[in-house]
C-alpha cells in the first residue's frame, strides 16, 4: 500500500510540474515543462540538485529555462519528495 501511495504522489507531483509556467529567457514567451522533462526532474532528485547538471541531463531545458527557474523546479521537487517519505 505504501508503494502505491508513493506512486500516486509522484504522479501528482508530475502533474504539478506540468501545470507551472515559466518565462522563456530568450523569447519572453511562457513555456512549460514537457512530460519527459518533468519525469527527469523527479529522477534527478536521487542524483543532484544542481541546475547546470540538470541541463546536461535534460538538454531540452537549455534556452527555454533560466538557471534560476531550473533551481526553483529542483527545490520544489526536493520539498515534495521529502513529504512523500
Amino acid at each position: 500500500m505504501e508503494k502505491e501511495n508513493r506512486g500516486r504522489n509522484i504522479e501528482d507531483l508530475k502533474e504539478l510540474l506540468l501545470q507551472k509556467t515559466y518565462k522563456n529567457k530568450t523569447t519572453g514567451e511562457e513555456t512549460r515543462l514537457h512530460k519527459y522533462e518533468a519525469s527527469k526532474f523527479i529522477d534527478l532528485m536521487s542524483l543532484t540538485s544542481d541546475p547546470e547538471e540538470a541541463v546536461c541531463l535534460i538538454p531540452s531545458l537549455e534556452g527555454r529555462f533560466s538557471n534560476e527557474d531550473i533551481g526553483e523546479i529542483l527545490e520544489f521537487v526536493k520539498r515534495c519528495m521529502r513529504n512523500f517519505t
Side-chain angles (χ1 to χ4, degrees):
M1 185 65 136
E2 185 177 312
K3 187 176 182 179
E4 182 179 309
N5 285 339
R6 182 172 166 83
R8 196 169 334 129
N9 290 337
I10 290 173
E11 287 303 313
D12 291 343
L13 171 58
K14 198 180 305 180
E15 285 302 313
L16 287 172
L17 288 171
L18 292 170
Q19 291 172 14
K20 185 157 174 53
T21 59
Y22 297 88
K23 188 170 256 189
N24 183 300
K25 70 180 187 179
T26 305
T27 65
E29 296 177 10
E30 286 191 352
T31 189
R32 294 176 191 240
L33 290 171
H34 298 292
K35 287 181 182 182
Y36 169 81
E37 294 165 337
S39 295
K40 290 313 252 176
F41 268 107
I42 294 168
D43 292 345
L44 271 172
M45 293 323 303
S46 63
L47 301 173
T48 184
S49 59
D50 177 63
E52 291 170 359
E53 191 165 357
V55 170
C56 287
L57 296 171
I58 313 170
S60 57
L61 299 174
E62 190 168 16
R64 291 180 49 231
F65 298 90
S66 68
N67 277 352
E68 184 179 306
D69 288 339
I70 294 169
E72 181 183 316
I73 295 167
L74 288 167
E75 286 302 315
F76 176 75
V77 172
K78 189 186 303 182
R79 281 193 312 271
C80 290
M81 295 298 279
R82 265 190 247 130
N83 291 334
F84 296 162
T85 58

